[in-house]
Amino acid sequence: MMRAAFLLVQILDGFETTLPHMEGIIPERLKEIGFMGIEETARFSTGVGTLQADKAFKL
């Protein structure tokens, strides 16, 4: 059911902008563009899926 709700988010926001979140590759993308000290700080369950909060820094 959550996947169906997230599909609606993808339709509204665009598949290209939501796919990295769905695949869980945001931390890797942050690393690729020069961020360091990437760490997950929280997870929130919502009606359309799980949101993850990360922190990182860039010099």
Side-chain angles (χ1 to χ4, degrees):
M1 187 158 91
M2 288 176 69
R3 178 65 188 112
F6 189 67
L7 179 60
L8 177 61
V9 170
Q10 288 185 293
I11 291 168
L12 295 173
D13 194 37
F15 287 89
E16 186 175 319
T17 58
T18 56
L19 189 60
H21 175 72
M22 189 178 87
E23 293 176 338
I25 61 173
I26 298 295
E28 182 60 34
R29 291 279 172 95
L30 289 171
K31 186 177 179 181
E32 288 173 4
I33 60 173
F35 282 87
M36 299 181 284
I38 303 160
E39 103 184 47
E40 180 181 323
T41 59
R43 279 186 180 249
F44 307 96
S45 293
T46 72
V48 293
T50 302
L51 298 177
Q52 177 177 321
D54 296 299
K55 74 175 183 177
F57 65 93
K58 188 172 184 179
L59 297 175

